[in-house]
């Protein structure tokens, strides 16, 4: 029988989850090297055996912006609140893409990594956090493209201005990350039993983009549908994002407060459901 002195020599003790709200952040910090390895893996595997490699970081939002400009700006004639159309769409695409990537990739984290979870111990929260971190790298690159576009249109004398709300930018990034993480954790726990959700989330996120102010300003939305659009928590975030960088958008503390509330509720529920599911998901996946 081991005495207390021998037991105390262990630097890590693996115990059953005692609380659904326990995050094991100390273990996450201890395994930070593993977190970095997962981030590197996601980055390398996504662009492995591609000709253009990381250039896709620029190509994807650029071509999406050009497509939106042609279809929604020129053909449909949807208002952009007086902003240059490419600049308006690029702002929405950049913010939405980060949230959507965090959500869709986190929503399949159990299914995609079942082989790793079943073989070795590490804090399970590492994988969802690595997805948020790896997508942040992509977001930073796309933000660089967005800032270059802002500089170009500023030299052209376009009608926009940077406002005080740009100071909210780091906070908005956290909101997008935590909202995508929270919703993704809820969905990934459900997909262990209901595989159909994995297919639903793929096109569901694409459809929900049209219920957000990515391709149109909130001011252009019909009154009878406006409140439905405002129910999407990303609407307040994108409007604040545009208002900060371009000076156009309906930034209100009510809409931003609603987005914060939904984000916090989603994150808490996501962590609780994730902690509950990780105990048994290997048996059901």
């Amino acid at each position: 029988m081991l005495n207390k002195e021998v037991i105390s020599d262990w630097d890590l003790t693996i115990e059953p989850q005692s609380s659904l709200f326990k995050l094991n952040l100390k273990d996450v910090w201890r395994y930070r090297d593993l977190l970095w390895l997962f981030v590197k893996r996601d980055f390398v595997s996504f662009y492995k055996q591609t000709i253009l490699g990381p250039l896709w970081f620029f190509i994807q939002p650029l071509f999406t912006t050009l497509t939106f400009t042609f279809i929604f700006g020129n053909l449909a004639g949807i208002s952009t609140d007086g902003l240059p159309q490419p600049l308006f769409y690029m702002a929405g695409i950049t913010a939405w893409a980060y949230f959507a990537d965090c959500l869709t990739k986190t929503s399949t984290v159990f299914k995609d990594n079942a082989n790793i979870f079943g073989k070795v111990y590490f804090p399970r929260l590492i994988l969802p956090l690595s997805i948020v971190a790896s997508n942040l790298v992509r977001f930073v690159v796309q933000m660089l493209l967005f800032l270059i576009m802002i500089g170009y249109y500023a030299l052209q004398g376009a009608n926009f201005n940077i406002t005080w709300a740009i100071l909210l930018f780091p906070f908005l990034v956290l909101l997008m990350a935590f909202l995508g993480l929270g919703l993704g954790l809820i969905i990934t726990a459900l997909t262990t039993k209901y595989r159909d959700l994995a297919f639903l989330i793929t096109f569901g996120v694409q459809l929900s983009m049209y219920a957000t102010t990515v391709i149109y300003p909130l001011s252009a939305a019909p009154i009878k549908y406006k409140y439905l659009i405002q129910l999407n928590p990303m609407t307040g975030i994108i409007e604040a994002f545009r208002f900060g960088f371009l000076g156009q958008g309906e930034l209100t503390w009510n809409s931003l407060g609603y987005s914060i509330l939904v984000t916090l509720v989603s994150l808490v529920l996501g962590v609780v459901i994730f902690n509950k599911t990780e105990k048994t998901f290997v048996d059901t996946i």
Side-chain angles (χ1 to χ4, degrees):
M1 183 174 179
L2 296 176
N3 57 39
K4 293 183 179 180
E5 183 178 353
V6 174
I7 293 175
S8 64
D9 289 339
W10 295 103
D11 62 347
L12 176 63
T13 304
I14 301 174
E15 299 177 341
Q17 190 73 273
S18 59
S19 172
L20 294 178
F21 295 95
K22 189 175 181 180
L23 297 180
N24 293 322
L25 294 181
K26 288 184 178 179
D27 284 354
V28 172
W29 175 251
R30 185 181 292 115
Y31 281 80
R32 60 189 180 277
D33 291 339
L34 180 62
L35 174 64
W36 165 247
L37 287 176
F38 279 135
V39 171
K40 185 178 179 180
R41 180 202 65 173
D42 292 342
F43 183 85
V44 173
S45 63
F46 189 80
Y47 294 100
K48 189 177 181 180
Q49 295 181 336
T50 61
I51 297 175
L52 298 178
L55 286 178
W56 284 109
F57 282 160
F58 294 98
I59 295 172
Q60 288 174 331
L62 189 59
F63 272 78
T64 304
T65 298
L66 293 175
T67 302
F68 282 9
T69 300
F70 176 71
I71 295 176
F72 300 112
N74 296 335
L75 293 183
I78 297 176
S79 169
T80 56
D81 273 351
L83 295 172
Q85 292 175 353
L87 203 54
F88 177 89
Y89 294 124
M90 177 63 77
I93 290 168
T94 301
W96 177 262
Y98 180 51
F99 160 75
D101 285 343
C102 290
L103 171 56
T104 54
K105 293 178 182 178
T106 304
S107 66
T108 58
V109 70
F110 273 145
K111 179 175 67 69
D112 294 342
N113 298 278
N115 58 331
I116 302 177
F117 284 149
K119 293 179 180 179
V120 64
Y121 168 79
F122 61 90
R124 304 317 192 198
L125 202 59
I126 283 281
L127 274 169
L129 290 176
S130 71
I131 291 172
V132 172
S134 60
N135 286 327
L136 184 61
V137 176
R138 181 177 179 178
F139 174 73
V140 169
V141 174
Q142 293 181 351
M143 272 300 301
L144 178 61
L145 178 61
F146 177 55
L147 294 175
I148 291 173
M149 188 175 289
I150 286 178
Y152 170 78
Y153 278 100
L155 293 175
Q156 298 296 316
N159 184 26
F160 70 90
N161 60 287
I162 295 174
T163 68
W164 62 268
I166 197 173
L167 298 176
L168 296 174
F169 174 68
F171 180 67
L172 296 177
V173 174
L174 285 177
L175 282 181
M176 290 184 282
F178 288 156
L179 181 61
L181 178 63
L183 294 176
L185 290 176
I186 294 173
I187 296 170
T188 194
L190 296 176
T191 53
T192 59
K193 292 185 177 180
Y194 309 104
R195 296 294 186 88
D196 292 351
L197 285 175
F199 301 102
L200 178 63
I201 194 64
T202 302
F203 67 87
V205 171
Q206 295 176 347
L207 292 178
S208 62
M209 182 187 70
Y210 296 99
T212 315
T213 53
V214 174
I215 59 176
Y216 52 83
L218 189 59
S219 59
I223 298 298
K224 59 180 179 179
Y225 298 123
K226 194 170 183 177
Y227 79 96
L228 290 175
I229 298 171
Q230 290 175 314
L231 286 178
N232 189 328
M234 277 300 295
T235 294
I237 296 173
I238 292 178
E239 288 293 296
F241 184 83
R242 279 207 187 102
F243 182 76
F245 282 93
L246 305 178
Q248 294 291 341
E250 296 190 18
L251 170 60
T252 65
W253 294 115
N254 287 337
S255 63
L256 196 56
Y258 170 75
S259 298
I260 295 171
L261 178 62
V262 173
T263 299
L264 292 177
V265 171
S266 300
L267 188 60
V268 171
L269 284 177
V271 169
V272 169
I273 296 173
F274 184 84
N275 282 344
K276 182 177 180 180
T277 305
E278 71 166 322
K279 300 177 183 179
T280 58
F281 88 96
V282 175
D283 300 324
T284 57
I285 196 71

